[in-house]
Amino acid sequence: MEKSDAPKFKPSHKEYIKGPDGRPTKRTRMKHYYVGQVSTEDLIDAINNGKPKHKNKFINELTRRGVKLVWKTEKEIATVQ
C-alpha cells in the first residue's frame, strides 16, 4: 500500500526545522500521522474515545496486527472495578 493510500490517524501538519542554536529556521517539512505508525494503546484509546466515523479503520489496523479485541459493556466494566 502506498503512503497516499494509507489511512491517516490525524491530519498532517507543517513542522519547522530548528537550527543548531535551537531556533526555528525558514525550512519546513511535512509531518504525517499514518495509522500504521501509531502504537496499539493509542489505537485502542481512539476506538474507545474517538469519533464513530474513524473506528472502523482503527479496528482494521488492529486486526492486521493480529490483536484480538474483546468487547465489554459498561456494566461489565463497572463490576470488575
mmCIF file with all atom_site columns, all heavy atoms in Angstrom, residues 6-11 33-36 43 46-47 51-65:
data_model
loop_
_atom_site.group_PDB
_atom_site.id
_atom_site.type_symbol
_atom_site.label_atom_id
_atom_site.label_alt_id
_atom_site.label_comp_id
_atom_site.label_asym_id
_atom_site.label_entity_id
_atom_site.label_seq_id
_atom_site.pdbx_PDB_ins_code
_atom_site.Cartn_x
_atom_site.Cartn_y
_atom_site.Cartn_z
_atom_site.occupancy
_atom_site.B_iso_or_equiv
_atom_site.pdbx_formal_charge
_atom_site.auth_seq_id
_atom_site.auth_comp_id
_atom_site.auth_asym_id
_atom_site.auth_atom_id
_atom_site.pdbx_PDB_model_num
ATOM 1   N N   . ALA A 1 6  ? -2.669  5.042  2.369  1.00 0.00 ? 6  ALA A N   1
ATOM 2   C CA  . ALA A 1 6  ? -2.745  4.601  3.752  1.00 0.00 ? 6  ALA A CA  1
ATOM 3   C C   . ALA A 1 6  ? -3.663  5.524  4.553  1.00 0.00 ? 6  ALA A C   1
ATOM 4   O O   . ALA A 1 6  ? -3.662  6.738  4.347  1.00 0.00 ? 6  ALA A O   1
ATOM 5   C CB  . ALA A 1 6  ? -1.352  4.593  4.367  1.00 0.00 ? 6  ALA A CB  1
ATOM 6   N N   . PRO A 1 7  ? -4.451  4.952  5.467  1.00 0.00 ? 7  PRO A N   1
ATOM 7   C CA  . PRO A 1 7  ? -5.340  5.794  6.274  1.00 0.00 ? 7  PRO A CA  1
ATOM 8   C C   . PRO A 1 7  ? -4.556  6.626  7.285  1.00 0.00 ? 7  PRO A C   1
ATOM 9   O O   . PRO A 1 7  ? -3.532  6.202  7.807  1.00 0.00 ? 7  PRO A O   1
ATOM 10  C CB  . PRO A 1 7  ? -6.252  4.785  6.966  1.00 0.00 ? 7  PRO A CB  1
ATOM 11  C CG  . PRO A 1 7  ? -5.536  3.497  6.919  1.00 0.00 ? 7  PRO A CG  1
ATOM 12  C CD  . PRO A 1 7  ? -4.622  3.543  5.742  1.00 0.00 ? 7  PRO A CD  1
ATOM 13  N N   . LYS A 1 8  ? -5.064  7.804  7.551  1.00 0.00 ? 8  LYS A N   1
ATOM 14  C CA  . LYS A 1 8  ? -4.421  8.723  8.486  1.00 0.00 ? 8  LYS A CA  1
ATOM 15  C C   . LYS A 1 8  ? -5.002  8.542  9.876  1.00 0.00 ? 8  LYS A C   1
ATOM 16  O O   . LYS A 1 8  ? -6.175  8.245  10.058 1.00 0.00 ? 8  LYS A O   1
ATOM 17  C CB  . LYS A 1 8  ? -4.654  10.174 8.063  1.00 0.00 ? 8  LYS A CB  1
ATOM 18  C CG  . LYS A 1 8  ? -3.989  10.582 6.784  1.00 0.00 ? 8  LYS A CG  1
ATOM 19  C CD  . LYS A 1 8  ? -2.561  10.978 7.047  1.00 0.00 ? 8  LYS A CD  1
ATOM 20  C CE  . LYS A 1 8  ? -1.924  11.606 5.855  1.00 0.00 ? 8  LYS A CE  1
ATOM 21  N NZ  . LYS A 1 8  ? -2.085  13.012 5.771  1.00 0.00 ? 8  LYS A NZ  1
ATOM 22  N N   . PHE A 1 9  ? -4.161  8.748  10.883 1.00 0.00 ? 9  PHE A N   1
ATOM 23  C CA  . PHE A 1 9  ? -4.618  8.749  12.275 1.00 0.00 ? 9  PHE A CA  1
ATOM 24  C C   . PHE A 1 9  ? -5.112  10.137 12.651 1.00 0.00 ? 9  PHE A C   1
ATOM 25  O O   . PHE A 1 9  ? -6.135  10.300 13.297 1.00 0.00 ? 9  PHE A O   1
ATOM 26  C CB  . PHE A 1 9  ? -3.484  8.317  13.203 1.00 0.00 ? 9  PHE A CB  1
ATOM 27  C CG  . PHE A 1 9  ? -3.882  8.232  14.643 1.00 0.00 ? 9  PHE A CG  1
ATOM 28  C CD1 . PHE A 1 9  ? -4.758  7.260  15.079 1.00 0.00 ? 9  PHE A CD1 1
ATOM 29  C CD2 . PHE A 1 9  ? -3.392  9.126  15.566 1.00 0.00 ? 9  PHE A CD2 1
ATOM 30  C CE1 . PHE A 1 9  ? -5.141  7.175  16.399 1.00 0.00 ? 9  PHE A CE1 1
ATOM 31  C CE2 . PHE A 1 9  ? -3.761  9.050  16.892 1.00 0.00 ? 9  PHE A CE2 1
ATOM 32  C CZ  . PHE A 1 9  ? -4.631  8.074  17.303 1.00 0.00 ? 9  PHE A CZ  1
ATOM 33  N N   . LYS A 1 10 ? -4.361  11.153 12.244 1.00 0.00 ? 10 LYS A N   1
ATOM 34  C CA  . LYS A 1 10 ? -4.775  12.540 12.422 1.00 0.00 ? 10 LYS A CA  1
ATOM 35  C C   . LYS A 1 10 ? -4.189  13.342 11.272 1.00 0.00 ? 10 LYS A C   1
ATOM 36  O O   . LYS A 1 10 ? -3.311  12.856 10.554 1.00 0.00 ? 10 LYS A O   1
ATOM 37  C CB  . LYS A 1 10 ? -4.337  13.085 13.778 1.00 0.00 ? 10 LYS A CB  1
ATOM 38  C CG  . LYS A 1 10 ? -2.852  13.106 14.039 1.00 0.00 ? 10 LYS A CG  1
ATOM 39  C CD  . LYS A 1 10 ? -2.568  13.613 15.442 1.00 0.00 ? 10 LYS A CD  1
ATOM 40  C CE  . LYS A 1 10 ? -1.085  13.684 15.723 1.00 0.00 ? 10 LYS A CE  1
ATOM 41  N NZ  . LYS A 1 10 ? -0.814  14.170 17.063 1.00 0.00 ? 10 LYS A NZ  1
ATOM 42  N N   . PRO A 1 11 ? -4.640  14.574 11.056 1.00 0.00 ? 11 PRO A N   1
ATOM 43  C CA  . PRO A 1 11 ? -4.175  15.343 9.895  1.00 0.00 ? 11 PRO A CA  1
ATOM 44  C C   . PRO A 1 11 ? -2.676  15.649 9.952  1.00 0.00 ? 11 PRO A C   1
ATOM 45  O O   . PRO A 1 11 ? -2.091  15.777 11.028 1.00 0.00 ? 11 PRO A O   1
ATOM 46  C CB  . PRO A 1 11 ? -4.982  16.632 9.982  1.00 0.00 ? 11 PRO A CB  1
ATOM 47  C CG  . PRO A 1 11 ? -6.145  16.322 10.830 1.00 0.00 ? 11 PRO A CG  1
ATOM 48  C CD  . PRO A 1 11 ? -5.711  15.253 11.771 1.00 0.00 ? 11 PRO A CD  1
ATOM 49  N N   . TYR A 1 33 ? 0.830   11.511 9.967  1.00 0.00 ? 33 TYR A N   1
ATOM 50  C CA  . TYR A 1 33 ? 0.450   10.577 11.021 1.00 0.00 ? 33 TYR A CA  1
ATOM 51  C C   . TYR A 1 33 ? -0.409  9.470  10.420 1.00 0.00 ? 33 TYR A C   1
ATOM 52  O O   . TYR A 1 33 ? -1.621  9.609  10.286 1.00 0.00 ? 33 TYR A O   1
ATOM 53  C CB  . TYR A 1 33 ? -0.327  11.304 12.125 1.00 0.00 ? 33 TYR A CB  1
ATOM 54  C CG  . TYR A 1 33 ? 0.472   12.394 12.776 1.00 0.00 ? 33 TYR A CG  1
ATOM 55  C CD1 . TYR A 1 33 ? 0.337   13.717 12.391 1.00 0.00 ? 33 TYR A CD1 1
ATOM 56  C CD2 . TYR A 1 33 ? 1.384   12.092 13.779 1.00 0.00 ? 33 TYR A CD2 1
ATOM 57  C CE1 . TYR A 1 33 ? 1.077   14.711 12.989 1.00 0.00 ? 33 TYR A CE1 1
ATOM 58  C CE2 . TYR A 1 33 ? 2.125   13.078 14.388 1.00 0.00 ? 33 TYR A CE2 1
ATOM 59  C CZ  . TYR A 1 33 ? 1.976   14.382 13.982 1.00 0.00 ? 33 TYR A CZ  1
ATOM 60  O OH  . TYR A 1 33 ? 2.714   15.367 14.582 1.00 0.00 ? 33 TYR A OH  1
ATOM 61  N N   . TYR A 1 34 ? 0.224   8.370  10.024 1.00 0.00 ? 34 TYR A N   1
ATOM 62  C CA  . TYR A 1 34 ? -0.487  7.244  9.432  1.00 0.00 ? 34 TYR A CA  1
ATOM 63  C C   . TYR A 1 34 ? -0.855  6.241  10.523 1.00 0.00 ? 34 TYR A C   1
ATOM 64  O O   . TYR A 1 34 ? -0.178  6.135  11.547 1.00 0.00 ? 34 TYR A O   1
ATOM 65  C CB  . TYR A 1 34 ? 0.365   6.563  8.369  1.00 0.00 ? 34 TYR A CB  1
ATOM 66  C CG  . TYR A 1 34 ? 0.617   7.450  7.176  1.00 0.00 ? 34 TYR A CG  1
ATOM 67  C CD1 . TYR A 1 34 ? 1.854   8.039  6.976  1.00 0.00 ? 34 TYR A CD1 1
ATOM 68  C CD2 . TYR A 1 34 ? -0.393  7.706  6.260  1.00 0.00 ? 34 TYR A CD2 1
ATOM 69  C CE1 . TYR A 1 34 ? 2.075   8.863  5.892  1.00 0.00 ? 34 TYR A CE1 1
ATOM 70  C CE2 . TYR A 1 34 ? -0.177  8.520  5.167  1.00 0.00 ? 34 TYR A CE2 1
ATOM 71  C CZ  . TYR A 1 34 ? 1.052   9.097  4.989  1.00 0.00 ? 34 TYR A CZ  1
ATOM 72  O OH  . TYR A 1 34 ? 1.272   9.923  3.915  1.00 0.00 ? 34 TYR A OH  1
ATOM 73  N N   . VAL A 1 35 ? -1.922  5.489  10.304 1.00 0.00 ? 35 VAL A N   1
ATOM 74  C CA  . VAL A 1 35 ? -2.424  4.539  11.289 1.00 0.00 ? 35 VAL A CA  1
ATOM 75  C C   . VAL A 1 35 ? -1.379  3.469  11.594 1.00 0.00 ? 35 VAL A C   1
ATOM 76  O O   . VAL A 1 35 ? -1.254  3.024  12.733 1.00 0.00 ? 35 VAL A O   1
ATOM 77  C CB  . VAL A 1 35 ? -3.748  3.908  10.787 1.00 0.00 ? 35 VAL A CB  1
ATOM 78  C CG1 . VAL A 1 35 ? -4.211  2.816  11.710 1.00 0.00 ? 35 VAL A CG1 1
ATOM 79  C CG2 . VAL A 1 35 ? -4.817  4.964  10.672 1.00 0.00 ? 35 VAL A CG2 1
ATOM 80  N N   . GLY A 1 36 ? -0.602  3.068  10.618 1.00 0.00 ? 36 GLY A N   1
ATOM 81  C CA  . GLY A 1 36 ? 0.402   2.031  10.816 1.00 0.00 ? 36 GLY A CA  1
ATOM 82  C C   . GLY A 1 36 ? 1.549   2.456  11.715 1.00 0.00 ? 36 GLY A C   1
ATOM 83  O O   . GLY A 1 36 ? 2.291   1.610  12.217 1.00 0.00 ? 36 GLY A O   1
ATOM 84  N N   . LEU A 1 43 ? -4.320  3.385  19.500 1.00 0.00 ? 43 LEU A N   1
ATOM 85  C CA  . LEU A 1 43 ? -5.443  2.965  18.654 1.00 0.00 ? 43 LEU A CA  1
ATOM 86  C C   . LEU A 1 43 ? -6.626  2.509  19.499 1.00 0.00 ? 43 LEU A C   1
ATOM 87  O O   . LEU A 1 43 ? -7.774  2.824  19.194 1.00 0.00 ? 43 LEU A O   1
ATOM 88  C CB  . LEU A 1 43 ? -5.013  1.849  17.707 1.00 0.00 ? 43 LEU A CB  1
ATOM 89  C CG  . LEU A 1 43 ? -4.142  2.271  16.533 1.00 0.00 ? 43 LEU A CG  1
ATOM 90  C CD1 . LEU A 1 43 ? -3.680  1.046  15.757 1.00 0.00 ? 43 LEU A CD1 1
ATOM 91  C CD2 . LEU A 1 43 ? -4.880  3.218  15.620 1.00 0.00 ? 43 LEU A CD2 1
ATOM 92  N N   . ALA A 1 46 ? -8.310  5.492  20.890 1.00 0.00 ? 46 ALA A N   1
ATOM 93  C CA  . ALA A 1 46 ? -9.064  6.176  19.841 1.00 0.00 ? 46 ALA A CA  1
ATOM 94  C C   . ALA A 1 46 ? -10.377 5.448  19.541 1.00 0.00 ? 46 ALA A C   1
ATOM 95  O O   . ALA A 1 46 ? -11.389 6.086  19.242 1.00 0.00 ? 46 ALA A O   1
ATOM 96  C CB  . ALA A 1 46 ? -8.223  6.300  18.581 1.00 0.00 ? 46 ALA A CB  1
ATOM 97  N N   . ILE A 1 47 ? -10.366 4.126  19.618 1.00 0.00 ? 47 ILE A N   1
ATOM 98  C CA  . ILE A 1 47 ? -11.606 3.371  19.407 1.00 0.00 ? 47 ILE A CA  1
ATOM 99  C C   . ILE A 1 47 ? -12.594 3.656  20.533 1.00 0.00 ? 47 ILE A C   1
ATOM 100 O O   . ILE A 1 47 ? -13.776 3.872  20.309 1.00 0.00 ? 47 ILE A O   1
ATOM 101 C CB  . ILE A 1 47 ? -11.314 1.857  19.312 1.00 0.00 ? 47 ILE A CB  1
ATOM 102 C CG1 . ILE A 1 47 ? -10.586 1.548  18.013 1.00 0.00 ? 47 ILE A CG1 1
ATOM 103 C CG2 . ILE A 1 47 ? -12.606 1.037  19.396 1.00 0.00 ? 47 ILE A CG2 1
ATOM 104 C CD1 . ILE A 1 47 ? -10.054 0.142  17.934 1.00 0.00 ? 47 ILE A CD1 1
ATOM 105 N N   . LYS A 1 51 ? -14.094 9.449  17.410 1.00 0.00 ? 51 LYS A N   1
ATOM 106 C CA  . LYS A 1 51 ? -15.302 9.590  16.613 1.00 0.00 ? 51 LYS A CA  1
ATOM 107 C C   . LYS A 1 51 ? -15.732 8.236  16.067 1.00 0.00 ? 51 LYS A C   1
ATOM 108 O O   . LYS A 1 51 ? -14.891 7.438  15.656 1.00 0.00 ? 51 LYS A O   1
ATOM 109 C CB  . LYS A 1 51 ? -15.036 10.515 15.425 1.00 0.00 ? 51 LYS A CB  1
ATOM 110 C CG  . LYS A 1 51 ? -14.793 11.947 15.802 1.00 0.00 ? 51 LYS A CG  1
ATOM 111 C CD  . LYS A 1 51 ? -14.596 12.760 14.543 1.00 0.00 ? 51 LYS A CD  1
ATOM 112 C CE  . LYS A 1 51 ? -14.385 14.209 14.876 1.00 0.00 ? 51 LYS A CE  1
ATOM 113 N NZ  . LYS A 1 51 ? -14.204 15.022 13.668 1.00 0.00 ? 51 LYS A NZ  1
ATOM 114 N N   . PRO A 1 52 ? -17.025 7.977  16.031 1.00 0.00 ? 52 PRO A N   1
ATOM 115 C CA  . PRO A 1 52 ? -17.513 6.719  15.458 1.00 0.00 ? 52 PRO A CA  1
ATOM 116 C C   . PRO A 1 52 ? -17.125 6.571  13.984 1.00 0.00 ? 52 PRO A C   1
ATOM 117 O O   . PRO A 1 52 ? -16.958 5.458  13.490 1.00 0.00 ? 52 PRO A O   1
ATOM 118 C CB  . PRO A 1 52 ? -19.029 6.818  15.599 1.00 0.00 ? 52 PRO A CB  1
ATOM 119 C CG  . PRO A 1 52 ? -19.267 7.802  16.681 1.00 0.00 ? 52 PRO A CG  1
ATOM 120 C CD  . PRO A 1 52 ? -18.112 8.757  16.630 1.00 0.00 ? 52 PRO A CD  1
ATOM 121 N N   . LYS A 1 53 ? -16.962 7.688  13.292 1.00 0.00 ? 53 LYS A N   1
ATOM 122 C CA  . LYS A 1 53 ? -16.608 7.666  11.878 1.00 0.00 ? 53 LYS A CA  1
ATOM 123 C C   . LYS A 1 53 ? -15.262 6.978  11.633 1.00 0.00 ? 53 LYS A C   1
ATOM 124 O O   . LYS A 1 53 ? -15.060 6.353  10.601 1.00 0.00 ? 53 LYS A O   1
ATOM 125 C CB  . LYS A 1 53 ? -16.548 9.112  11.397 1.00 0.00 ? 53 LYS A CB  1
ATOM 126 C CG  . LYS A 1 53 ? -16.146 9.316  9.973  1.00 0.00 ? 53 LYS A CG  1
ATOM 127 C CD  . LYS A 1 53 ? -16.146 10.793 9.653  1.00 0.00 ? 53 LYS A CD  1
ATOM 128 C CE  . LYS A 1 53 ? -15.740 11.034 8.226  1.00 0.00 ? 53 LYS A CE  1
ATOM 129 N NZ  . LYS A 1 53 ? -15.772 12.458 7.888  1.00 0.00 ? 53 LYS A NZ  1
ATOM 130 N N   . HIS A 1 54 ? -14.314 7.079  12.570 1.00 0.00 ? 54 HIS A N   1
ATOM 131 C CA  . HIS A 1 54 ? -12.964 6.568  12.376 1.00 0.00 ? 54 HIS A CA  1
ATOM 132 C C   . HIS A 1 54 ? -12.717 5.209  13.019 1.00 0.00 ? 54 HIS A C   1
ATOM 133 O O   . HIS A 1 54 ? -11.655 4.629  12.828 1.00 0.00 ? 54 HIS A O   1
ATOM 134 C CB  . HIS A 1 54 ? -11.949 7.560  12.927 1.00 0.00 ? 54 HIS A CB  1
ATOM 135 C CG  . HIS A 1 54 ? -12.041 8.911  12.301 1.00 0.00 ? 54 HIS A CG  1
ATOM 136 N ND1 . HIS A 1 54 ? -11.794 9.133  10.971 1.00 0.00 ? 54 HIS A ND1 1
ATOM 137 C CD2 . HIS A 1 54 ? -12.385 10.118 12.819 1.00 0.00 ? 54 HIS A CD2 1
ATOM 138 C CE1 . HIS A 1 54 ? -11.962 10.408 10.703 1.00 0.00 ? 54 HIS A CE1 1
ATOM 139 N NE2 . HIS A 1 54 ? -12.327 11.028 11.806 1.00 0.00 ? 54 HIS A NE2 1
ATOM 140 N N   . LYS A 1 55 ? -13.669 4.694  13.760 1.00 0.00 ? 55 LYS A N   1
ATOM 141 C CA  . LYS A 1 55 ? -13.460 3.444  14.494 1.00 0.00 ? 55 LYS A CA  1
ATOM 142 C C   . LYS A 1 55 ? -13.125 2.271  13.585 1.00 0.00 ? 55 LYS A C   1
ATOM 143 O O   . LYS A 1 55 ? -12.274 1.450  13.915 1.00 0.00 ? 55 LYS A O   1
ATOM 144 C CB  . LYS A 1 55 ? -14.696 3.093  15.325 1.00 0.00 ? 55 LYS A CB  1
ATOM 145 C CG  . LYS A 1 55 ? -14.848 3.938  16.556 1.00 0.00 ? 55 LYS A CG  1
ATOM 146 C CD  . LYS A 1 55 ? -16.021 3.480  17.380 1.00 0.00 ? 55 LYS A CD  1
ATOM 147 C CE  . LYS A 1 55 ? -16.171 4.357  18.602 1.00 0.00 ? 55 LYS A CE  1
ATOM 148 N NZ  . LYS A 1 55 ? -17.263 3.929  19.455 1.00 0.00 ? 55 LYS A NZ  1
ATOM 149 N N   . ASN A 1 56 ? -13.777 2.189  12.432 1.00 0.00 ? 56 ASN A N   1
ATOM 150 C CA  . ASN A 1 56 ? -13.590 1.030  11.561 1.00 0.00 ? 56 ASN A CA  1
ATOM 151 C C   . ASN A 1 56 ? -12.153 0.926  11.053 1.00 0.00 ? 56 ASN A C   1
ATOM 152 O O   . ASN A 1 56 ? -11.580 -0.167 11.022 1.00 0.00 ? 56 ASN A O   1
ATOM 153 C CB  . ASN A 1 56 ? -14.564 1.084  10.392 1.00 0.00 ? 56 ASN A CB  1
ATOM 154 C CG  . ASN A 1 56 ? -14.631 -0.226 9.658  1.00 0.00 ? 56 ASN A CG  1
ATOM 155 O OD1 . ASN A 1 56 ? -14.455 -1.278 10.272 1.00 0.00 ? 56 ASN A OD1 1
ATOM 156 N ND2 . ASN A 1 56 ? -14.882 -0.182 8.372  1.00 0.00 ? 56 ASN A ND2 1
ATOM 157 N N   . LYS A 1 57 ? -11.541 2.040  10.673 1.00 0.00 ? 57 LYS A N   1
ATOM 158 C CA  . LYS A 1 57 ? -10.169 1.960  10.167 1.00 0.00 ? 57 LYS A CA  1
ATOM 159 C C   . LYS A 1 57 ? -9.194  1.603  11.278 1.00 0.00 ? 57 LYS A C   1
ATOM 160 O O   . LYS A 1 57 ? -8.194  0.935  11.040 1.00 0.00 ? 57 LYS A O   1
ATOM 161 C CB  . LYS A 1 57 ? -9.755  3.227  9.434  1.00 0.00 ? 57 LYS A CB  1
ATOM 162 C CG  . LYS A 1 57 ? -9.629  4.472  10.252 1.00 0.00 ? 57 LYS A CG  1
ATOM 163 C CD  . LYS A 1 57 ? -9.197  5.620  9.341  1.00 0.00 ? 57 LYS A CD  1
ATOM 164 C CE  . LYS A 1 57 ? -9.259  6.934  10.069 1.00 0.00 ? 57 LYS A CE  1
ATOM 165 N NZ  . LYS A 1 57 ? -8.897  8.056  9.193  1.00 0.00 ? 57 LYS A NZ  1
ATOM 166 N N   . PHE A 1 58 ? -9.483  2.012  12.531 1.00 0.00 ? 58 PHE A N   1
ATOM 167 C CA  . PHE A 1 58 ? -8.623  1.636  13.653 1.00 0.00 ? 58 PHE A CA  1
ATOM 168 C C   . PHE A 1 58 ? -8.772  0.149  13.970 1.00 0.00 ? 58 PHE A C   1
ATOM 169 O O   . PHE A 1 58 ? -7.791  -0.543 14.249 1.00 0.00 ? 58 PHE A O   1
ATOM 170 C CB  . PHE A 1 58 ? -8.942  2.472  14.891 1.00 0.00 ? 58 PHE A CB  1
ATOM 171 C CG  . PHE A 1 58 ? -8.774  3.961  14.685 1.00 0.00 ? 58 PHE A CG  1
ATOM 172 C CD1 . PHE A 1 58 ? -9.561  4.858  15.363 1.00 0.00 ? 58 PHE A CD1 1
ATOM 173 C CD2 . PHE A 1 58 ? -7.822  4.456  13.811 1.00 0.00 ? 58 PHE A CD2 1
ATOM 174 C CE1 . PHE A 1 58 ? -9.400  6.218  15.192 1.00 0.00 ? 58 PHE A CE1 1
ATOM 175 C CE2 . PHE A 1 58 ? -7.656  5.817  13.622 1.00 0.00 ? 58 PHE A CE2 1
ATOM 176 C CZ  . PHE A 1 58 ? -8.450  6.703  14.320 1.00 0.00 ? 58 PHE A CZ  1
ATOM 177 N N   . ILE A 1 59 ? -9.997  -0.358 13.906 1.00 0.00 ? 59 ILE A N   1
ATOM 178 C CA  . ILE A 1 59 ? -10.238 -1.782 14.144 1.00 0.00 ? 59 ILE A CA  1
ATOM 179 C C   . ILE A 1 59 ? -9.567  -2.623 13.054 1.00 0.00 ? 59 ILE A C   1
ATOM 180 O O   . ILE A 1 59 ? -8.967  -3.656 13.343 1.00 0.00 ? 59 ILE A O   1
ATOM 181 C CB  . ILE A 1 59 ? -11.758 -2.064 14.208 1.00 0.00 ? 59 ILE A CB  1
ATOM 182 C CG1 . ILE A 1 59 ? -12.348 -1.420 15.456 1.00 0.00 ? 59 ILE A CG1 1
ATOM 183 C CG2 . ILE A 1 59 ? -12.050 -3.556 14.185 1.00 0.00 ? 59 ILE A CG2 1
ATOM 184 C CD1 . ILE A 1 59 ? -13.857 -1.407 15.500 1.00 0.00 ? 59 ILE A CD1 1
ATOM 185 N N   . ASN A 1 60 ? -9.627  -2.162 11.805 1.00 0.00 ? 60 ASN A N   1
ATOM 186 C CA  . ASN A 1 60 ? -8.969  -2.881 10.710 1.00 0.00 ? 60 ASN A CA  1
ATOM 187 C C   . ASN A 1 60 ? -7.458  -2.941 10.917 1.00 0.00 ? 60 ASN A C   1
ATOM 188 O O   . ASN A 1 60 ? -6.832  -3.963 10.636 1.00 0.00 ? 60 ASN A O   1
ATOM 189 C CB  . ASN A 1 60 ? -9.282  -2.222 9.370  1.00 0.00 ? 60 ASN A CB  1
ATOM 190 C CG  . ASN A 1 60 ? -10.711 -2.440 8.932  1.00 0.00 ? 60 ASN A CG  1
ATOM 191 O OD1 . ASN A 1 60 ? -11.379 -3.338 9.426  1.00 0.00 ? 60 ASN A OD1 1
ATOM 192 N ND2 . ASN A 1 60 ? -11.178 -1.607 8.021  1.00 0.00 ? 60 ASN A ND2 1
ATOM 193 N N   . GLU A 1 61 ? -6.859  -1.881 11.410 1.00 0.00 ? 61 GLU A N   1
ATOM 194 C CA  . GLU A 1 61 ? -5.416  -1.870 11.651 1.00 0.00 ? 61 GLU A CA  1
ATOM 195 C C   . GLU A 1 61 ? -5.050  -2.846 12.769 1.00 0.00 ? 61 GLU A C   1
ATOM 196 O O   . GLU A 1 61 ? -4.057  -3.570 12.677 1.00 0.00 ? 61 GLU A O   1
ATOM 197 C CB  . GLU A 1 61 ? -4.945  -0.455 12.003 1.00 0.00 ? 61 GLU A CB  1
ATOM 198 C CG  . GLU A 1 61 ? -3.496  -0.362 12.370 1.00 0.00 ? 61 GLU A CG  1
ATOM 199 C CD  . GLU A 1 61 ? -2.530  -0.743 11.258 1.00 0.00 ? 61 GLU A CD  1
ATOM 200 O OE1 . GLU A 1 61 ? -2.905  -0.696 10.079 1.00 0.00 ? 61 GLU A OE1 1
ATOM 201 O OE2 . GLU A 1 61 ? -1.381  -1.101 11.579 1.00 0.00 ? 61 GLU A OE2 1
ATOM 202 N N   . LEU A 1 62 ? -5.845  -2.884 13.829 1.00 0.00 ? 62 LEU A N   1
ATOM 203 C CA  . LEU A 1 62 ? -5.564  -3.823 14.922 1.00 0.00 ? 62 LEU A CA  1
ATOM 204 C C   . LEU A 1 62 ? -5.731  -5.264 14.452 1.00 0.00 ? 62 LEU A C   1
ATOM 205 O O   . LEU A 1 62 ? -4.963  -6.145 14.850 1.00 0.00 ? 62 LEU A O   1
ATOM 206 C CB  . LEU A 1 62 ? -6.469  -3.534 16.123 1.00 0.00 ? 62 LEU A CB  1
ATOM 207 C CG  . LEU A 1 62 ? -6.169  -2.230 16.849 1.00 0.00 ? 62 LEU A CG  1
ATOM 208 C CD1 . LEU A 1 62 ? -7.202  -1.994 17.940 1.00 0.00 ? 62 LEU A CD1 1
ATOM 209 C CD2 . LEU A 1 62 ? -4.773  -2.222 17.436 1.00 0.00 ? 62 LEU A CD2 1
ATOM 210 N N   . THR A 1 63 ? -6.698  -5.518 13.594 1.00 0.00 ? 63 THR A N   1
ATOM 211 C CA  . THR A 1 63 ? -6.889  -6.853 13.032 1.00 0.00 ? 63 THR A CA  1
ATOM 212 C C   . THR A 1 63 ? -5.689  -7.234 12.169 1.00 0.00 ? 63 THR A C   1
ATOM 213 O O   . THR A 1 63 ? -5.209  -8.367 12.222 1.00 0.00 ? 63 THR A O   1
ATOM 214 C CB  . THR A 1 63 ? -8.176  -6.898 12.187 1.00 0.00 ? 63 THR A CB  1
ATOM 215 O OG1 . THR A 1 63 ? -9.265  -6.483 12.994 1.00 0.00 ? 63 THR A OG1 1
ATOM 216 C CG2 . THR A 1 63 ? -8.434  -8.290 11.660 1.00 0.00 ? 63 THR A CG2 1
ATOM 217 N N   . ARG A 1 64 ? -5.169  -6.291 11.396 1.00 0.00 ? 64 ARG A N   1
ATOM 218 C CA  . ARG A 1 64 ? -3.993  -6.541 10.568 1.00 0.00 ? 64 ARG A CA  1
ATOM 219 C C   . ARG A 1 64 ? -2.777  -6.883 11.427 1.00 0.00 ? 64 ARG A C   1
ATOM 220 O O   . ARG A 1 64 ? -1.965  -7.727 11.074 1.00 0.00 ? 64 ARG A O   1
ATOM 221 C CB  . ARG A 1 64 ? -3.684  -5.305 9.721  1.00 0.00 ? 64 ARG A CB  1
ATOM 222 C CG  . ARG A 1 64 ? -2.592  -5.510 8.698  1.00 0.00 ? 64 ARG A CG  1
ATOM 223 C CD  . ARG A 1 64 ? -2.201  -4.212 8.032  1.00 0.00 ? 64 ARG A CD  1
ATOM 224 N NE  . ARG A 1 64 ? -1.513  -3.317 8.943  1.00 0.00 ? 64 ARG A NE  1
ATOM 225 C CZ  . ARG A 1 64 ? -0.216  -3.415 9.303  1.00 0.00 ? 64 ARG A CZ  1
ATOM 226 N NH1 . ARG A 1 64 ? 0.516   -4.383 8.823  1.00 0.00 ? 64 ARG A NH1 1
ATOM 227 N NH2 . ARG A 1 64 ? 0.316   -2.546 10.120 1.00 0.00 ? 64 ARG A NH2 1
ATOM 228 N N   . ARG A 1 65 ? -2.692  -6.262 12.620 1.00 0.00 ? 65 ARG A N   1
ATOM 229 C CA  . ARG A 1 65 ? -1.585  -6.533 13.540 1.00 0.00 ? 65 ARG A CA  1
ATOM 230 C C   . ARG A 1 65 ? -1.763  -7.829 14.318 1.00 0.00 ? 65 ARG A C   1
ATOM 231 O O   . ARG A 1 65 ? -0.859  -8.272 15.011 1.00 0.00 ? 65 ARG A O   1
ATOM 232 C CB  . ARG A 1 65 ? -1.448  -5.389 14.547 1.00 0.00 ? 65 ARG A CB  1
ATOM 233 C CG  . ARG A 1 65 ? -1.031  -4.086 13.938 1.00 0.00 ? 65 ARG A CG  1
ATOM 234 C CD  . ARG A 1 65 ? -0.897  -3.031 14.983 1.00 0.00 ? 65 ARG A CD  1
ATOM 235 N NE  . ARG A 1 65 ? -0.672  -1.721 14.381 1.00 0.00 ? 65 ARG A NE  1
ATOM 236 C CZ  . ARG A 1 65 ? -0.410  -0.627 15.066 1.00 0.00 ? 65 ARG A CZ  1
ATOM 237 N NH1 . ARG A 1 65 ? -0.334  -0.674 16.390 1.00 0.00 ? 65 ARG A NH1 1
ATOM 238 N NH2 . ARG A 1 65 ? -0.229  0.515  14.447 1.00 0.00 ? 65 ARG A NH2 1
#
